[in-house]
């Protein structure tokens, strides 16, 4: 919302020395977000005067039309002689009054004016357009042509109000009252402690039986409709300069007198209005829901197919306007052209349902100044005053006559009242304001307040956002100044520190970062089509999602049940931007709906919720376990002078899972698995043992080629995902000091031939169990396949076994016996035989 300081001063007697910056500081302190203060005409310097065109000579022989003009500027040039000026514009004629900048002046942007020779003539100045003066487009796309009665030689800087300050306010969705000069003036008056001259306080005649007929068939969508009629408008009447300038300063383009007046009143009072050409309206004006498939051509020339929920204004023919959004072209006010134009108008000032208008505007992708206000809340009591203000200006500026008839269709409604304890703002803010301060501040915003310890507050009609006690508390706190709230640091009890879950989360992050992964947090929103891309079965529990009532994007209306979609999307984006060697990880919550859905209770804000209230809230929330996931693509080790690199593969993803398990203090069982997005032959299943039962906690491996194609990923992309909360539940992360033995280690290597389909983890588990307590460590260091030497369908697995006793030096026989026992058990369980 752009607010000219000169307009604001009409309703609040600000000190003459107050600048836009001063007002900005006051309003920010009161809770309004004043983004900038624009200084109009800050670098403008005269002489800039009104001139009258005396002669025009068309210069020929140039690529574009050029005119050599003489202009009477009175005594502004010091001689009284006509000023000779070269100009290329075509929208003015002899006798027109124009704006002339004389040599020695400076225009916005630091453009200095001097006499100079151009097109074979010497131009002593310039005839100005609105853009050249920083006024914006006035609709003419050319030279400013002033009214004929404008005095020659008059200072144009003062006439056109070129010097001003404009506050640009970012109005939040709940403060629709501040989308008007009236609303901002009220906030300014409160901030300065000055009286407000309310422009809505007008003498308004009551409704009678002579007004234009109106029928409201949808009272829930339109609870108030005021119609006034003005006849005998002069088609030649133009918007005066002051009206055009005010519209330009607030960011609107002047169009025609009747339309400009409705826009002016809307910006002044915050009440959107619409003017219909009475001669084009046929019969009774109605308000109803649209019939499915009805059509209307709006003022922007677009033909729109209506939805059954759209609220429309109608006459006997059908829709003539989208209520609260935009009028129809079939009743548009006609500009004066060749002696013809609108002479009689019907003024509409109505109050429409905010939700209905918001949905219509979004449905038709048609946001307007009117819809922006209705969406945020318009004062229903201002409709009659806005209609009266419009009528008064039409009579004053267009020479019309106000018809005696006044139509007002209103649904009876009682004012909104709230009972609030007088000390409630004190409890919310932690500051003792006192009853007198609370009552005074609420009265300043327009509330009627009665009572002592328990206040009965009647909310003003222009503040629909004040719905409950905490809204009233916020008003008191913001007007007393957020900056005056005491800043108190919480005092945590000593020795508490991070929770066990937080410490594990940080250790896992550090471990993966140390292994070369980069953390890539993602939004927790997904679309359900992603489950098809991940090749999940139709009955997979991961397909059960929590859906959002008001999602940020209609394409992602659900909360994630896996971290992989977000990570794979991040990997795809980075790969597409030239980063091909990637290792990303994320730790975050996933969301699993409960079997029985409940409704969360609203917790209090004036005290700490009880344990029972918190437990009841948690009981209806979805399960939110913390997962960790990682994805890899490209090179895992770079090639260089030190040797060859290697690509990332499924083994790296499995090792990432092992690293996470080590941080959680969990003995992770890794075995062959098959699930959803992973390649069936290159997928590992992570298992933990809890209370004697096995539980699958995650998967890792290379992604299925169809998943890679569906997500647009590099070939051979690998991924890992683990349930971190499940690891925490069974893990023991108590720090274990390493045992250091004074006795030497005995190393034995074995190479075992097994069938290709046998997982090495099964062989390793058998070797570990068979070797017994003397085995300190086991490592697979070679995998060899050769059909000629080993036979078809065979492979060789070579292991390094480290044996050590805690109380003695092992003999060769003891180490060999342990090795033989390990090989024997491996042969029994997996069919392994010693190679060679």
């Amino acid at each position: 919302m752009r607010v000219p300081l000169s307009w604001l001063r009409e309703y609040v007697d600000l000190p003459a020395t107050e600048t836009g910056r001063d007002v900005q500081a006051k309003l920010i302190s009161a809770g309004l977000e004043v983004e900038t203060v624009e200084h109009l005409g800050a670098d403008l310097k005269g002489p800039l005067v009104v001139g009258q065109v005396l002669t025009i000579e068309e210069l020929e022989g140039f690529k574009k039309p050029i005119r050599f003009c003489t202009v009477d500027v009175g005594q502004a040039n010091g001689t009284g002689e006509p000023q000779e000026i070269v100009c290329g514009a075509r929208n003015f004629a002899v006798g027109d009054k124009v704006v002339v900048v004389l040599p020695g002046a400076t225009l916005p942007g630091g453009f200095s004016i001097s006499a100079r020779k151009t097109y074979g003539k010497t131009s002593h100045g310039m005839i100005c357009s609105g853009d050249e003066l920083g006024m914006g487009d006035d609709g003419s796309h050319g030279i400013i042509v002033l009214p004929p009665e404008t005095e020659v030689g008059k200072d144009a800087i003062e006439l056109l109000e070129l010097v001003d300050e404009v506050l640009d306010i970012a109005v939040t969705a709940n403060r629709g009252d501040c989308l008007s000069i009236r609303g901002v003036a009220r906030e300014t008056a409160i901030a300065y402690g000055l009286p407000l001259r309310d422009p809505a306080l007008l003498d308004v005649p009551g409704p009678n039986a002579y007004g234009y007929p109106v029928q409201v068939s949808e009272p829930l969508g339109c609870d108030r409709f005021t119609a006034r009629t003005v006849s005998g408008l002069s088609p030649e009447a133009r918007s005066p300069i002051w009206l055009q300038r005010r519209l330009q300063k607030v960011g609107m383009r002047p169009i025609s007198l009747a339309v400009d007046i409705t826009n002016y009143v809307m910006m002044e009072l915050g009440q959107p209005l619409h003017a219909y050409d009475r001669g084009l309206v046929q019969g009774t004006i109605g308000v109803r829901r649209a019939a499915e498939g009805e059509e209307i051509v709006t003022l922007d020339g677009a033909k729109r197919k209506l939805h059954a929920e759209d609220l429309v204004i109608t006459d006997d023919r059908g829709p003539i306007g989208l209520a609260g959004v935009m009028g129809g072209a079939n009743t548009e006010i006609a500009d004066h052209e060749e002696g013809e134009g609108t002479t009689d108008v019907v003024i509409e000032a109505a109050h429409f349902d905010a939700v209905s208008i918001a949905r219509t505007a979004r449905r038709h992708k048609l946001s307007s100044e009117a819809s922006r206000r209705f969406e945020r809340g318009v004062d229903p009591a201002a409709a009659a005053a806005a209609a009266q203000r419009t009528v008064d200006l039409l009579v004053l500026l267009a020479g019309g006559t106000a018809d005696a008839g006044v139509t007002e269709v209103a649904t009876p409604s009682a004012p909104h009242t709230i009972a609030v304890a007088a000390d409630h703002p004190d409890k919310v803010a932690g500051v003792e304001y006192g009853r007198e301060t609370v009552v005074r501040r609420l009265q300043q915003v327009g509330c009627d307040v009665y009572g002592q310890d328990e206040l009965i507050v009647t909310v003003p009609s222009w503040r629909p956002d004040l719905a409950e006690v905490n809204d009233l508390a916020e008003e008191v706190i913001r007007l007393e100044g957020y900056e005056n709230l005491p800043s108190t640091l919480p005092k945590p009890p000593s020795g508490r520190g991070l929770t066990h879950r937080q410490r594990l989360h940080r250790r896992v992050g550090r471990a993966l970062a140390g292994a070369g992964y980069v953390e890539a947090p993602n939004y927790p929103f997904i679309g359900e089509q992603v489950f098809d891309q991940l090749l999940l079965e139709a009955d997979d529990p991961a397909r059960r999602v929590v859906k959002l009532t008001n999602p940020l994007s209609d394409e992602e209306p659900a909360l994630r049940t896996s971290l992989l979609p977000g990570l794979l999307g991040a990997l795809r984006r980075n790969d597409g931007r030239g980063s091909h060697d990637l290792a990303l990880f994320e730790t975050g919550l996933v969301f699993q709906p409960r079997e029985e859905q409940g409704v969360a209770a609203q917790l209090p804000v004036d005290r700490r919720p009880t344990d029972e209230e918190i437990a009841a809230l948690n009981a209806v929330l979805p399960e939110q376990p913390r997962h960790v996931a990682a994805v890899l693509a490209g090179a895992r080790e770079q090639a260089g002078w030190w040797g060859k690199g290697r690509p990332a593969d499924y083994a790296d993803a499995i090792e990432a899972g092992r690293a996470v398990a080590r941080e959680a203090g969990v003995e992770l069982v890794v075995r062959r698995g098959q699930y959803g997005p992973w390649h069936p032959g290159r997928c590992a299943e992570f298992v933990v043992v809890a209370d004697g039962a096995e539980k699958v906690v995650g998967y890792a491996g290379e992604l299925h080629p169809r998943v890679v194609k569906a997500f647009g990923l590099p070939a051979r992309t690998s991924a890992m995902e683990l349930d971190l909360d499940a690891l925490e539940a069974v893990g023991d992360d108590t720090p274990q000091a390493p045992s250091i033995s004074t006795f030497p280690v005995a190393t034995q290597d074995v190479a075992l031939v097994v069938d290709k389909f046998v997982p090495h983890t099964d062989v390793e588990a058998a070797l570990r169990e068979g070797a017994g307590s003397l085995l300190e460590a086991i490592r697979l260091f070679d995998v060899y396949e050769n059909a000629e030497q080993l036979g078809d369908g065979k492979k060789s697995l070579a292991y390094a076994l480290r044996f050590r006793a805690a109380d003695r030096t092992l003999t060769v026989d003891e180490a060999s016996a342990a090795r033989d026992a390990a090989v024997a058990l491996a042969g029994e369980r997996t069919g392994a035989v010693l190679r060679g």
Side-chain angles (χ1 to χ4, degrees):
M1 175 69 191
R2 291 171 56 84
V3 181
L5 191 60
S6 59
W7 199 349
L8 196 62
R9 288 182 182 275
E10 280 199 11
Y11 310 127
V12 184
D13 288 326
L14 294 173
T17 57
E18 287 295 282
T19 65
R21 294 289 184 191
D22 298 329
V23 178
Q24 178 188 32
K26 286 282 190 180
L27 292 179
I28 289 176
S29 178
L32 293 185
E33 186 181 349
V34 185
E35 294 185 322
T36 60
V37 178
E38 183 179 353
H39 298 271
L40 302 181
D43 51 357
L44 178 65
K45 186 180 73 172
L48 188 70
V49 299
V50 176
Q52 183 173 21
V53 180
L54 300 178
T55 65
I56 297 177
E57 178 187 348
E58 299 289 347
L59 301 182
E60 298 180 354
F62 301 101
K63 292 183 179 180
K64 62 178 181 178
I66 298 296
R67 310 168 100 184
F68 180 65
C69 311
T70 58
V71 184
D72 178 14
V73 296
Q75 296 298 318
N77 56 4
T79 64
E81 296 294 326
Q83 202 79 1
E84 296 180 340
I85 298 175
V86 175
C87 182
R90 314 290 297 175
N91 67 313
F92 63 95
V94 172
D96 283 345
K97 302 289 181 65
V98 294
V99 178
V100 179
V101 58
L102 300 177
T106 302
L107 294 181
F111 182 55
S112 298
I113 302 299
S114 61
R116 64 190 185 95
K117 191 168 184 178
T118 179
Y119 296 104
K121 302 284 186 178
T122 300
S123 182
H124 298 273
M126 187 169 73
I127 301 175
C128 298
S129 67
D131 286 336
E132 290 163 341
L133 297 178
M135 296 169 54
D137 181 24
D138 61 357
S140 67
H141 305 289
I143 294 301
I144 301 171
V145 179
L146 300 171
E149 64 273 12
T150 309
E151 179 185 350
V152 171
K154 184 178 179 63
D155 183 1
I157 295 178
E158 178 183 352
L159 175 70
L160 299 177
E161 301 176 16
L162 296 178
V163 178
D164 202 350
E165 293 181 276
V166 179
L167 310 177
D168 194 351
I169 303 175
V171 179
T172 54
N174 65 318
R175 291 303 304 271
D177 61 305
C178 288
L179 285 174
S180 67
I181 304 296
R182 179 197 184 201
V184 176
R186 183 181 294 108
E187 292 294 319
T188 305
I190 295 172
Y192 279 90
L194 297 171
L196 169 70
R197 288 188 293 275
D198 192 343
L201 294 180
L202 301 173
D203 291 330
V204 180
N208 54 50
Y210 312 112
Y212 198 93
V214 173
Q215 180 179 359
V216 177
S217 303
E218 183 62 34
L220 294 179
C222 176
D223 57 11
R224 186 180 297 267
F225 194 105
T226 300
R228 299 290 299 275
T229 306
V230 181
S231 306
L233 302 180
S234 171
E236 293 84 8
R238 297 175 54 192
S239 298
I241 292 174
W242 64 266
L243 179 58
Q244 294 186 45
R245 287 297 294 133
R246 286 194 170 177
L247 289 176
Q248 288 172 332
K249 289 177 185 179
V250 299
M252 301 192 77
R253 181 173 64 86
I255 298 172
S256 65
L257 179 56
V259 176
D260 291 350
I261 288 175
T262 59
N263 287 337
Y264 176 85
V265 175
M266 176 179 68
M267 303 306 297
E268 182 181 53
L269 302 182
Q271 168 66 54
L273 302 110
H274 189 69
Y276 300 94
D277 188 326
R278 183 175 182 179
L280 299 178
V281 179
Q282 297 181 11
T284 301
I285 290 178
V287 183
R288 61 169 172 82
R289 297 290 176 183
E292 189 69 41
E294 271 190 307
E295 294 183 342
I296 183 176
V297 178
T298 46
L299 289 173
D300 59 356
K303 187 175 184 179
R304 304 182 185 276
K305 190 173 183 179
L306 301 178
H307 188 274
E309 292 184 5
D310 291 336
L311 198 65
V312 292
I313 310 298
T314 65
D315 65 3
D316 290 350
R317 296 167 296 177
I320 60 173
L322 270 176
V325 181
M326 185 174 287
N330 53 355
T331 56
E332 182 180 5
I333 298 294
D335 289 333
H336 168 60
E337 184 177 347
E338 297 180 359
E340 296 182 1
T342 298
T343 58
D344 302 332
V345 297
V346 178
I347 304 300
E348 165 208 306
H351 184 261
F352 300 111
D353 175 63
V355 175
S356 177
I357 301 306
R359 288 176 176 171
T360 296
R362 283 159 179 72
R363 189 178 297 119
H364 295 282
K365 297 179 175 58
L366 185 60
S367 179
S368 64
E369 292 289 345
S371 68
R372 286 182 62 227
R373 284 161 176 77
F374 281 121
E375 290 171 15
R376 289 161 174 78
V378 169
D379 181 4
Q388 182 63 45
R389 176 73 164 140
T390 304
V391 169
D392 292 343
L393 289 173
L394 285 171
V395 171
L396 175 66
L397 302 178
T401 301
D403 290 5
V406 177
T407 302
E408 186 167 310
V409 180
T411 302
S413 61
H416 181 50
T417 60
I418 303 172
V420 58
D423 61 349
H424 181 68
D426 302 14
K427 294 179 180 179
V428 174
V431 176
E432 188 175 341
Y433 293 122
R435 178 188 178 279
E436 290 75 15
T437 298
V438 172
V439 171
R440 175 171 55 86
R441 288 304 191 183
L442 292 178
Q443 288 175 337
Q444 284 180 331
V445 299
C447 297
D448 290 331
V449 185
Y450 302 96
Q452 293 298 318
D453 294 339
E454 185 80 10
L455 303 178
I456 305 300
V457 180
T458 302
V459 175
S461 58
W462 57 82
R463 291 298 303 274
D465 59 305
L466 302 182
E468 48 107 15
V469 293
N470 292 311
D471 297 327
L472 300 179
E474 182 184 6
E475 290 300 297
V476 175
I477 295 168
R478 76 173 180 88
L479 293 178
E480 283 295 301
Y482 290 121
E483 69 276 9
N484 295 323
L485 292 176
S487 177
T488 305
L489 290 175
K491 297 179 180 179
S494 60
R496 296 284 291 274
L498 299 175
T499 65
H500 181 270
R501 191 185 194 205
Q502 290 170 329
R503 290 196 298 271
L504 175 60
H505 179 209
R506 293 192 180 190
R507 288 202 309 273
V508 167
R510 285 195 294 266
L512 291 175
Y517 291 82
V518 176
E519 188 170 13
N522 295 282
Y523 285 118
F525 312 119
I526 59 170
E528 292 182 81
Q529 73 281 354
V530 77
F531 299 130
D532 295 329
Q533 296 174 318
L534 290 174
L535 306 182
L536 298 187
E537 298 291 340
D539 58 349
D540 195 302
R543 284 183 177 269
R544 293 185 62 243
V545 295
V546 178
K547 290 191 176 180
L548 301 172
T549 303
N550 188 24
L552 293 179
S553 169
D554 292 336
E555 295 180 356
E556 296 181 332
L559 293 173
R560 65 190 178 190
T561 56
S562 167
L563 301 183
L564 288 183
L567 272 179
L568 295 178
L571 187 141
R572 181 186 64 246
R573 285 190 297 274
N574 282 276
D575 180 71
R577 294 169 183 171
S579 298
H580 304 301
D581 303 325
L582 296 162
L584 309 178
F585 83 94
E586 179 181 7
T587 57
L589 303 180
V590 298
F591 305 85
Q592 300 165 353
R594 297 181 184 271
E595 293 296 334
E596 296 184 5
Q597 299 296 323
V599 179
Q602 187 172 0
L603 297 182
V605 297
D606 57 344
R607 60 174 174 82
R608 184 190 183 278
T610 65
D611 292 341
E612 291 76 14
E613 288 172 329
I614 295 175
L617 176 65
N618 289 332
V620 300
L621 295 177
E623 297 285 349
Q624 302 175 55
R626 184 177 295 277
H627 281 203
V628 57
V631 294
L632 307 96
R636 185 67 177 137
E637 295 177 3
Q638 298 290 337
W641 57 265
W642 52 85
K644 294 181 179 179
R646 69 172 183 86
D649 61 16
Y650 68 93
D652 295 299
I654 296 172
E655 181 56 32
R658 285 196 171 107
V660 172
R662 283 194 294 270
E663 295 300 324
V666 175
E667 179 95 22
L668 197 64
V669 178
V670 182
R671 64 192 184 195
R672 175 176 296 194
Q674 182 172 345
Y675 178 69
W678 281 278
H679 193 296
R682 297 169 188 151
C683 173
E685 183 178 74
F686 294 139
V687 178
V688 296
V689 179
D691 299 327
E694 291 187 347
K695 179 181 179 181
V696 177
V697 294
Y699 296 88
E702 183 179 313
L703 293 180
H704 197 288
R706 285 165 57 191
V707 174
V708 169
K709 181 178 180 181
F711 280 91
L713 304 173
R716 311 299 291 271
T717 296
S718 299
M720 174 277 295
E721 184 165 12
L722 270 170
D723 185 338
L724 197 54
D725 281 358
L727 293 181
E728 181 188 6
V730 300
D732 179 11
D733 59 355
T734 303
Q736 300 290 333
S739 58
I740 301 175
S741 175
T742 58
F743 298 99
V745 66
T747 302
Q748 298 268 1
D749 293 343
V750 294
L752 303 176
V753 178
V754 297
D755 292 331
K756 279 187 177 181
F757 63 83
V758 175
H760 104 84
T761 53
D762 292 352
V763 178
E764 180 181 313
L767 289 173
R768 189 182 297 276
E769 183 178 344
S773 60
L774 294 180
L775 182 66
E776 181 180 83
I778 182 172
R779 180 175 63 88
L780 175 70
F781 66 85
D782 184 54
V783 178
Y784 177 70
E785 295 181 10
N786 188 310
E788 293 182 1
Q789 297 184 20
L790 303 178
D792 291 336
K794 300 291 184 178
K795 65 181 177 182
S796 170
L797 303 176
Y799 294 90
L801 308 179
R802 291 168 56 90
F803 298 99
R804 195 195 312 256
D807 56 351
R808 67 188 187 280
T809 299
L810 291 176
T811 65
V812 174
D813 291 340
E814 287 177 313
S816 297
R819 181 203 64 186
D820 293 342
V823 171
L825 187 59
E828 178 183 335
R829 291 188 177 177
T830 66
V833 296
L834 281 172
R835 181 180 168 190

